[in-house]
Amino acid sequence: MDEMLLLTRILLVGFICALLVSSGLTCGPGRGIGKRRHPKKLTPLAYKQFIPNVAEKTLGASGRYEGKITRNSERFKELTPNYNPDIIFKDEENTGADRLMTQRCKDKLNALAISVMNQWPGVKLRVTEGWDEDGHHSEESLHYEGRAVDITTSDRDRSKYGMLARLAVEAGFDWVYYESKAHIHCSVKAENSVAAKSGGCFPGSATVHLEQGGTKLVKDLSPGDRVLVADAEGRLLYSDFLAFLDREDGSHKLFYVIETRQPRARLLLTAAHLLFVAPQHNQSQAGTPSSRALFASRVRPGQRVYVLGEGGRQLLPAAVHSVSLREEASGAYAPLTAQGTILINRVLASCYAVIEEHSWAHWAFAPFRLLQGMLAAFCPSGGGAPTGAPATPGIHWYSRLLYRIGSWVLDSDSLHPLGMVVPSS
């Protein structure tokens, strides 16, 4: 079985590479098999622009303020000094405070320092403000937690600051703001932030409809189960459950709560998960060209989602009555079906997350579905176990692979900032 698992993974990786080449993702001037990929073109931020385009202390950016850290507080141990020789710290207080920051902020700042030297040889990154212990910033500033820095270049050439902001985005800061003509403001999520690890999932308490009748908790799904889904035309059918793309038993997660009244439904899902939204006119079919899949974090009251009607025979567009946030400790699960859609708590959702293109994501999982079908055909007793749900909780290896490919091919702002937590390599 171990040999079959290894062979399956090798075949999948090879198939993905072949598909990427044939689709043109690795084509173009100066690119192709055996040629080094050119760096993507970076666009400087405009003055007063911020990325992502949401408020700093919201879920989609650096998250909420968690309280001021002082030298005498228990949380002071969360701060670590940064002695990187490639970074100049202004430290006008002569206390070393500007060098103190969270580990996440330190990691992003060190990555940015390398990018700055590569972009402008002879120029270094300069930090003008880091952790603030003197109350010089606005109330609830992330500077008080060591989660924010204000930066310039060592030569203080303001014509470079727009590109410096872009480099900060690429370095992985959770929020970057071209705040002033004199500096760029960058911040990160808290180390223990639920938002930093929200992924793209449903809670374990969510239910699905089974072909043999009745419902089942999503956390109890296993390969071979057939669950209610919808096709591209909005028709209901049953499809094979293939695997969990992410499975975190008993974990704490922050979920968006999407509620409708007519028909009444309530769905919990994480920020980066895709939910199908109906057009605003009188079309009711889920698969019409004007339907689209949105990140849960972008769904607003008044928009319409697709809910299973009372008879259980058709999908009906239902206006979203409220959107709220709720933390649950029932785990987080991302089920994948052969169809790529799923009815969860009677609401139609995509099986995919991270990128706001359902069709792209479904295409990307074509090799996985093909190999899953081949394994089921050749090893009917074992089903799809080798590529199915992983033996240990966590993100499925295939999802990790696609995320790394997507990070290489796509711009960073094409991926949801809360989409996936992958360990640093």
Side-chain angles (χ1 to χ4, degrees):
M1 185 62 72
D2 290 340
E3 291 79 2
M4 180 173 289
L5 175 58
L6 178 61
L7 177 61
T8 299
R9 292 190 176 186
I10 292 173
L11 288 172
L12 275 172
V13 172
F15 195 14
I16 292 169
C17 293
L19 281 175
L20 288 176
V21 171
S22 65
S23 67
L25 288 177
T26 57
C27 297
R31 294 176 65 179
I33 299 174
K35 294 186 179 180
R36 184 178 179 181
R37 182 189 178 218
H38 288 298
K40 61 186 177 186
K41 184 178 180 181
L42 299 178
T43 305
L45 267 66
Y47 180 55
K48 292 298 182 181
Q49 182 182 0
F50 45 86
I51 293 178
N53 190 27
V54 295
E56 179 180 29
K57 287 171 282 188
T58 57
L59 180 67
S62 293
R64 65 186 180 185
Y65 176 71
E66 298 192 350
K68 186 174 183 178
I69 296 177
T70 67
R71 291 184 185 269
N72 297 322
S73 68
E74 176 68 19
R75 292 180 59 207
F76 185 68
K77 63 184 180 183
E78 295 177 14
L79 304 183
T80 180
N82 190 331
Y83 295 113
N84 189 335
D86 297 322
I87 303 175
I88 297 172
F89 291 88
K90 185 177 180 183
D91 194 22
E92 57 189 356
E93 300 90 355
N94 291 317
T95 62
D98 288 338
R99 291 184 180 272
L100 294 174
M101 58 196 69
T102 63
Q103 185 62 48
R104 181 176 178 84
C105 188
K106 180 178 178 179
D107 291 342
K108 306 307 179 187
L109 200 65
N110 289 344
L112 176 58
I114 296 172
S115 298
V116 167
M117 292 188 296
N118 288 336
Q119 183 74 22
W120 302 292
V123 176
K124 290 186 176 183
L125 177 63
R126 176 172 174 260
V127 175
T128 61
E129 290 285 344
W131 174 57
D132 180 5
E133 58 180 331
D134 299 322
H136 293 158
H137 291 84
S138 61
E139 186 178 2
E140 296 192 354
S141 168
L142 298 186
H143 282 284
Y144 298 135
E145 297 184 61
R147 293 165 52 194
V149 289
D150 294 339
I151 58 173
T152 72
T153 54
S154 60
D155 60 1
R156 306 185 200 182
D157 181 354
R158 297 188 178 188
S159 68
K160 293 185 173 77
Y161 290 179
M163 182 57 74
L164 177 63
R166 172 57 65 182
L167 294 177
V169 173
E170 296 297 316
F173 278 97
D174 297 305
W175 198 70
V176 177
Y177 180 27
Y178 195 164
E179 182 177 31
S180 160
K181 293 288 188 180
H183 70 262
I184 304 300
H185 176 83
C186 310
S187 62
V188 298
K189 302 180 190 301
E191 296 295 304
N192 60 348
S193 172
V194 175
K197 305 175 179 66
S198 57
C201 306
F202 306 101
S205 57
T207 59
V208 297
H209 292 261
L210 300 177
E211 185 174 35
Q212 62 265 38
T215 61
K216 192 174 191 177
L217 293 178
V218 67
K219 67 178 183 179
D220 295 329
L221 285 171
S222 58
D225 286 336
R226 288 177 58 80
V227 299
L228 188 61
V229 303
D231 65 13
E233 302 302 322
R235 294 185 292 259
L236 295 172
L237 67 153
Y238 290 94
S239 179
D240 291 326
F241 164 73
L242 302 179
F244 285 116
L245 301 182
D246 193 359
R247 190 185 72 192
E248 300 179 37
D249 301 318
S251 64
H252 289 258
K253 291 285 184 179
L254 193 64
F255 295 95
Y256 275 77
V257 183
I258 313 293
E259 296 187 79
T260 67
R261 285 186 171 176
Q262 294 181 342
R264 184 177 295 276
R266 184 171 183 265
L267 175 66
L268 278 69
L269 70 173
T270 48
H273 210 99
L274 295 181
L275 186 63
F276 291 104
V277 173
Q280 291 302 311
H281 42 85
N282 293 324
Q283 288 179 281
S284 62
Q285 289 296 310
T288 57
S290 50
S291 281
R292 54 182 178 153
L294 294 183
F295 290 131
S297 59
R298 292 187 57 204
V299 175
R300 299 289 182 266
Q303 291 180 315
R304 301 189 302 167
V305 296
Y306 293 99
V307 179
L308 190 64
E310 291 299 325
R313 295 184 178 182
Q314 64 175 335
L315 292 173
L316 300 174
V320 174
H321 170 67
S322 67
V323 179
S324 58
L325 292 171
R326 175 185 176 89
E327 186 175 344
E328 284 207 0
S330 59
Y333 303 84
L336 173 67
T337 66
Q339 191 66 37
T341 63
I342 191 167
L343 269 289
I344 296 275
N345 287 4
R346 299 176 50 245
V347 180
L348 178 64
S350 170
C351 290
Y352 308 117
V354 182
I355 183 171
E356 206 170 35
E357 289 287 349
H358 171 81
S359 58
W360 290 10
H362 193 57
W363 175 89
F365 274 88
F368 182 87
R369 294 193 302 274
L370 177 62
L371 266 294
Q372 189 79 8
M374 291 172 60
L375 285 170
F378 291 120
C379 307
S381 59
T387 56
T392 56
I395 301 171
H396 196 283
W397 68 267
Y398 189 87
S399 296
R400 289 182 185 274
L401 174 64
L402 287 183
Y403 183 78
R404 294 194 182 280
I405 293 174
S407 300
W408 185 82
V409 172
L410 303 171
D411 291 331
S412 59
D413 49 6
S414 298
L415 307 176
H416 196 285
L418 305 180
M420 185 177 292
V421 179
V422 290
S424 300
S425 54

